Amino acid sequence: MKKRLEMLEQLQEIDYQIDNLKTTRNGLTGEMGGIEQALTDARLELAGLESRVVQLEQEKGELEASQAVEQENIRRSETNMKEIKTNKEYQAVGREIAAARKQAAEIEEQTLQKIGLIDELNTAIAALKDTLADLEQNTSQRRDDKQAEIDKIQQDIDKDVARREAITKELPAGIVKRYNALREQRRGQAVAMARDGYCLGCNMNLPPQLYNSLFKGDELISCPHCQRVLILKHQQPQ
């Protein structure tokens, strides 16, 4: 039975190691996802800017078309003024020309604003393209580095899993089942040290008779409080 207790202790140490390795592996996998997300976000931002430029170019084209219409109206009205004979008609056409010129000026201002925005966006697009090119290159290298780390950790996990399987094959199936159930119930800790009359798994005082039974080492004894399998550990001398 003493050997089985030692094997359970080894099994728990291996499981701790596997859990830690999996946590590290999952963290690296998350970091890799973050690297990919940064690249995706940059591409989406670039696409959004380019789409905005296309929209502004379309709006600028519409304004320029309206400007051409207003200029044509002004030219036509100025031509018609030469044929007007009454002062009332002359004043009416004059007002039309003034309104058309005001409208043309407003359209020109809006057009200039569109041009300014387009220039700003094109500058931002050029800078973002440079950043994206660097990011794509760095992402590839960082992805390879992270994957190499993940692969190394997976190799270590596989080795520990093989060690675990070798131990569980030597233990009775009932003990392994009990151990696995306790690990699931007790946040990964199925085995606890007992020392100086206490269970170090839950820090509760053990009944004296039960604690004394641990010295024999001829049976699996569980803590009556947390149900973990107890392994006796003597206080190390100072």
Side-chain angles (χ1 to χ4, degrees):
M1 184 57 67
K2 183 178 179 180
K3 182 180 179 182
R4 289 179 178 177
L5 288 171
E6 291 175 349
M7 292 172 70
L8 283 176
E9 186 176 6
Q10 293 174 14
L11 188 60
Q12 180 158 276
E13 289 175 358
I14 292 171
D15 281 334
Y16 280 159
Q17 180 68 14
I18 292 174
D19 289 343
N20 290 334
L21 287 171
K22 285 182 177 180
T23 298
T24 302
R25 181 197 61 189
N26 293 341
L28 289 170
T29 301
E31 290 178 21
M32 183 179 287
I35 292 172
E36 296 290 349
Q37 187 60 50
L39 184 59
T40 298
D41 290 344
R43 287 170 174 164
L44 288 174
E45 182 181 0
L46 178 61
L49 291 178
E50 290 176 336
S51 176
R52 178 59 177 153
V53 167
V54 170
Q55 180 183 357
L56 287 171
E57 289 284 4
Q58 180 179 350
E59 293 173 358
K60 181 172 74 74
E62 292 171 355
L63 287 171
E64 289 172 340
S66 297
Q67 178 79 334
V69 170
E70 292 299 331
Q71 292 295 341
E72 176 60 23
N73 289 338
I74 292 170
R75 186 194 63 77
R76 186 180 298 109
S77 295
E78 288 177 340
T79 299
N80 291 338
M81 287 185 73
K82 298 176 182 179
E83 301 175 0
I84 294 174
K85 298 179 179 179
T86 67
N87 188 50
K88 185 176 180 180
E89 290 177 338
Y90 187 88
Q91 291 177 347
V93 173
R95 287 193 295 270
E96 290 177 1
I97 293 174
R101 286 175 176 169
K102 181 180 179 182
Q103 181 67 17
E106 291 176 354
I107 292 174
E108 183 178 8
E109 179 62 26
Q110 293 176 31
T111 303
L112 291 174
Q113 290 177 359
K114 300 291 183 185
I115 293 173
L117 286 173
I118 290 170
D119 289 343
E120 290 178 9
L121 287 174
N122 282 331
T123 299
I125 287 172
L128 185 55
K129 283 183 176 179
D130 290 339
T131 300
L132 185 57
D134 292 339
L135 188 59
E136 287 174 338
Q137 182 176 359
N138 293 337
T139 295
S140 178
Q141 183 60 51
R142 291 173 66 192
R143 185 194 300 115
D144 292 343
D145 291 344
K146 293 295 180 185
Q147 189 60 56
E149 291 183 64
I150 291 171
D151 292 343
K152 175 61 173 61
I153 289 173
Q154 187 59 52
Q155 290 176 3
D156 293 339
I157 291 174
D158 293 341
K159 290 178 182 178
D160 285 334
V161 168
R163 289 172 57 207
R164 187 185 197 282
E165 290 178 352
I167 291 176
T168 56
K169 286 180 180 179
E170 294 186 35
L171 288 169
I175 292 179
V176 174
K177 183 178 180 180
R178 178 178 172 185
Y179 169 85
N180 289 335
L182 283 169
R183 252 182 63 81
E184 184 175 347
Q185 295 166 8
R186 298 300 174 188
R187 298 180 181 179
Q189 185 184 10
V191 178
M193 303 300 109
R195 189 170 62 197
D196 299 333
Y198 284 87
C199 168
L200 301 186
C202 61
N203 296 317
M204 296 294 290
N205 192 19
L206 296 170
Q209 184 176 355
L210 182 146
Y211 184 71
N212 291 333
S213 298
L214 292 171
F215 286 87
K216 300 178 183 179
D218 57 0
E219 61 179 317
L220 289 182
I221 298 176
S222 297
C223 171
H225 307 291
C226 66
Q227 284 74 52
R228 293 181 175 95
V229 176
L230 294 171
I231 296 179
L232 183 65
K233 289 292 180 180
H234 299 290
Q235 178 69 48
Q236 297 295 325
Q238 298 295 326

